[in-house]
């Protein structure tokens, strides 16, 4: 199934890195500033894939239609911007996975819906990403996932056909974007997934329960 693959592209949050502690901390700081009790990280974690919207929903039960949503969202962004590299770490096995891809002379890169404002400081602060051939953010192209444009831009920067790339992500939007771009897709079951997500319905070409299982898929092919 993965024969002829020359590059592996990854979503960022929930696929390569665990950013939930910093995202949750920013939202929780907003609660503390308002005299509300802290919430455990476990409540924030399943909603990380929804970004600020998900964090504010957990922290305040707020949706995007709330009259104060824009104000709260910008406050969240500012707080997150001040702490986004404090607790964020690569998932176990990710460093080994990247090293193994490089040993096999495979290219790799990142395609995330996270804005450059947040994604670039994180990737630039971690040595892991020095070998990435492309980092495509949510505002790099006019469209974000599930639109295929960010993935097509990544393939262009790698000078590869989309069919020569695999995309790995932990959200249904990742799989939809990969399919629309003509890439093989892998669902990362170890990621955030989203509250109540049924990965089996996403239609990914394969599923993995740990980062190194991606390597096993390529070796099998």
């Amino acid at each position: 199934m993965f024969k002829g693959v020359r590059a592996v592209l990854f979503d960022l949050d929930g696929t390569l890195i665990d950013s939930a502690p910093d995202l949750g901390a920013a939202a929780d700081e907003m609660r503390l500033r308002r005299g509300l009790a802290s919430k455990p990280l476990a409540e924030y974690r399943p909603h990380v894939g929804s970004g600020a919207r998900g964090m504010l929903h957990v922290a305040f039960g707020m949706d995007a239609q709330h009259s104060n949503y824009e104000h709260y969202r910008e406050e969240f962004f500012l707080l997150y911007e001040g702490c986004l590299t404090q607790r964020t770490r690569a998932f176990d096995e990710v460093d080994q996975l990247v090293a193994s891809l490089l040993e096999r002379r495979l290219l790799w890169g990142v395609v995330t819906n996270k804005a450059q404002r947040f994604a670039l400081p994180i990737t630039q602060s971690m040595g892991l990403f020095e070998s990435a051939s492309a980092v495509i953010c949510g505002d790099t192209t006019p469209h974000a996932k599930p639109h295929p444009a960010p993935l097509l831009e990544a393939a262009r920067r790698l000078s590869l056909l989309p069919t020569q790339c695999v995309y790995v992500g932990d959200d249904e939007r990742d799989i939809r974007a990969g399919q629309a771009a003509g890439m093989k897709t892998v669902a990362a079951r170890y990621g955030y997934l989203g509250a109540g997500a049924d990965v089996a319905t996403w239609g990914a070409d394969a599923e993995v329960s740990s980062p190194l299982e991606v390597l096993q898929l390529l070796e099998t092919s």
Side-chain angles (χ1 to χ4, degrees):
M1 182 180 298
F2 297 99
K3 185 177 180 180
V5 167
R6 295 183 57 192
V8 183
L9 301 171
F10 299 92
D11 177 46
L12 186 61
D13 301 72
T15 303
L16 293 178
I17 63 171
D18 183 10
S19 54
D22 284 327
L23 286 159
D28 220 49
E29 175 62 22
M30 293 179 66
R31 285 182 57 84
L32 296 177
R33 288 182 173 189
R34 290 163 174 78
L36 300 173
S38 178
K39 286 197 169 192
L41 175 60
E43 291 191 32
Y44 290 106
R45 185 176 289 279
H47 300 272
V48 166
S50 298
R53 179 168 48 87
M55 296 298 94
L56 294 177
H57 172 74
V58 175
F60 302 105
M62 176 182 291
D63 61 25
Q65 282 68 51
H66 192 283
S67 59
N68 287 329
Y69 178 77
E70 293 299 327
H71 172 73
Y72 274 53
R73 184 178 69 165
E74 189 53 37
E75 181 182 347
F76 170 78
F77 283 159
L78 289 172
L79 286 169
Y80 179 53
E81 200 165 27
C83 73
L84 48 72
T85 62
Q86 290 183 9
R87 309 164 191 83
T88 294
R89 300 289 183 271
F91 282 114
D92 290 343
E93 301 184 353
V94 166
D95 285 282
Q96 187 179 349
L97 169 60
V98 168
S100 297
L101 293 175
L102 296 173
E103 287 175 4
R104 288 159 177 75
R105 300 184 180 233
L106 293 171
L107 301 175
W108 76 282
V110 173
V111 182
T112 176
N113 272 1
K114 207 179 194 78
Q116 296 181 54
R117 171 183 177 184
F118 310 113
L120 294 184
I122 291 174
T123 55
Q124 290 167 359
S125 73
M126 301 174 69
L128 169 70
F129 295 96
E130 291 177 1
S131 61
S133 296
V135 176
I136 307 299
C137 303
D139 47 359
T140 301
T141 68
H143 304 282
K145 298 174 296 183
H147 197 282
L151 286 167
L152 294 174
E153 174 62 14
R156 185 191 70 79
R157 294 192 185 187
L158 270 56
S159 299
L160 295 175
L161 297 172
T163 53
Q164 295 174 304
C165 303
V166 175
Y167 188 50
V168 185
D170 69 317
D171 190 282
E172 185 175 7
R173 290 169 297 179
D174 299 325
I175 305 307
R176 288 168 56 197
Q179 291 169 338
M183 297 180 182
K184 294 296 183 183
T185 57
V186 177
R189 280 190 167 274
Y190 59 85
Y192 301 137
L193 302 183
D198 184 0
V199 179
T201 67
W202 293 359
D205 294 300
E207 300 172 8
V208 293
S209 297
S210 71
L212 280 180
E213 286 186 19
V214 173
L215 197 63
Q216 295 171 11
L217 291 174
L218 299 176
E219 289 175 343
T220 300
S221 295

